Amino acid sequence: MSGQPEVGIAGLGVMGSAIARRLLGRERAVRVYDIRPEAVAELTQDGATTAESPALLATSEVVILSLNTAEVVDQVVFGPDGVLSAAPDGVLVIDMSSIDPGRTHEFAERAAKLGAGWVDAPLSGGAPATERGELTLMLGGDEEHVERALPVLGALASRLTHLGPAGSGQLVKSVNQVLVGCGFAALAEAAALVRAAGLPPRQVLTALSGGRADSALVQEFFVKFADADLSPTGRVSNMVKDLEAARDYARSAGVPLPVTTAVAELHRWLTAAGHGDADNAALMHYYAPLEVRP
């Protein structure tokens, strides 16, 4: 490995594992923690070292979080055996989870009292973009902490934007998820029309390309939805969480989100029907459940 400082990573789901592998591929020393031994074992085979608890990740100068909820972040960082449980001075926590902006601001303040830095760096692009080092990252935090984070995050992303104080990145991620979640719902309805008409999805995509309806979302997901391809790129349950976070903030700001609310309930219906762990293309179950491939 290079002489660069070690990076600790807590959370080895699809994104956390992709982040770890990308950093290992860039010759960074990586120490990993997850409650699932099998996830840790996979990364150790790729060259990572292990931490038996989140507290042991604090031996690294930088600790990346890739976790599901603010509650899990709270426990992993501030719990009895958390990353900052021994108040290690100078550790920089980079939270790449997608969580509530208000909780993020609170976490940053708590970390500062313990002598640690905090940068929220929620991502857009998914595991494939991580593997290419082409994530889009939305950054919140003090300028000095963001500067410290850039050498690590630069290995993962092709676009990084510092938006303001802690929580700013999470707020813009909520905006991103409103656009993506509502876009997925529109894609699903369009794909349902194409399926009902028996039109070839790839030719339809060619016809849409370059027009006003075209977008990166259409290019990446239209055929996937029309083919009811459920290979994992994201989970329905995560979209529910993200859209609810956007709605919660909107309520506090007095902003109505009627379309987002409807889309959140559509995803909640999928979760109630047992598709919470499925890919977002499971939206097609709403239109023709018997035709969707398992």
Side-chain angles (χ1 to χ4, degrees):
M1 295 293 178
S2 71
Q4 295 173 314
E6 181 182 72
V7 177
I9 299 178
L12 301 176
V14 172
M15 287 308 307
S17 294
I19 289 165
R21 290 192 176 95
R22 173 67 182 178
L23 292 175
L24 287 166
R26 302 284 287 184
E27 299 189 343
R28 296 295 301 241
V30 174
R31 184 179 297 270
V32 297
Y33 169 80
D34 195 278
I35 60 173
R36 296 168 301 128
E38 65 275 13
V40 173
E42 288 183 15
L43 267 299
T44 56
Q45 291 175 4
D46 291 333
T49 57
T50 65
E52 299 301 321
S53 70
L56 295 178
L57 289 176
T59 59
S60 305
E61 292 184 20
V62 175
V63 177
I64 291 175
L65 311 177
S66 182
L67 305 168
N68 284 333
T69 67
E71 289 70 28
V72 176
V73 170
D74 194 348
Q75 181 65 28
V76 167
V77 178
F78 301 104
D81 207 16
V83 174
L84 300 183
S85 58
D89 190 41
V91 170
L92 175 64
V93 177
I94 303 175
D95 186 14
M96 300 185 73
S97 319
S98 294
I99 63 172
D100 176 73
R103 294 297 302 278
T104 293
H105 184 74
E106 171 201 331
F107 293 153
E109 290 186 335
R110 290 167 66 186
K113 292 177 181 178
L114 297 171
W118 192 284
V119 171
D120 48 303
L123 58 89
S124 182
T130 308
E131 294 165 1
R132 300 189 301 270
E134 296 178 356
L135 286 173
T136 293
L137 298 181
M138 307 133 197
L139 309 181
D142 293 346
E143 188 73 40
E144 62 177 300
H145 297 147
V146 171
E147 288 296 322
R148 282 185 61 196
L150 290 180
V152 175
L153 297 179
L156 304 172
S158 57
R159 183 183 298 273
L160 305 95
T161 307
H162 183 199
L163 294 149
S168 301
Q170 296 292 359
L171 180 56
V172 175
K173 178 59 187 285
S174 290
V175 172
N176 182 84
Q177 292 306 88
V178 166
L179 292 168
V180 171
C182 293
F184 278 160
L187 277 175
E189 295 202 354
L193 289 173
V194 167
R195 286 164 64 85
L199 296 174
R202 293 191 181 278
Q203 285 182 247
V204 173
L205 178 61
T206 299
L208 295 173
S209 297
R212 281 191 172 173
D214 197 11
S215 68
L217 202 69
V218 169
Q219 290 295 326
E220 184 174 358
F221 289 103
F222 177 75
V223 173
K224 190 177 194 300
F225 276 54
D227 285 345
D229 172 8
L230 301 186
S231 57
T233 57
R235 290 191 299 181
V236 168
S237 59
N238 282 340
M239 184 59 71
V240 172
K241 169 182 69 73
D242 292 344
L243 294 180
E244 286 187 343
R247 288 166 54 195
D248 289 344
Y249 182 84
R251 287 192 190 99
S252 70
V255 177
L257 297 182
V259 176
T260 300
T261 298
V263 172
E265 291 306 308
L266 177 56
H267 283 82
R268 187 189 299 282
W269 175 87
L270 287 170
T271 301
H275 304 300
D277 289 333
D279 182 76
N280 291 293
L283 281 165
M284 300 309 295
H285 278 296
Y286 186 78
Y287 302 96
L290 297 180
E291 297 179 23
V292 177
R293 294 197 306 266

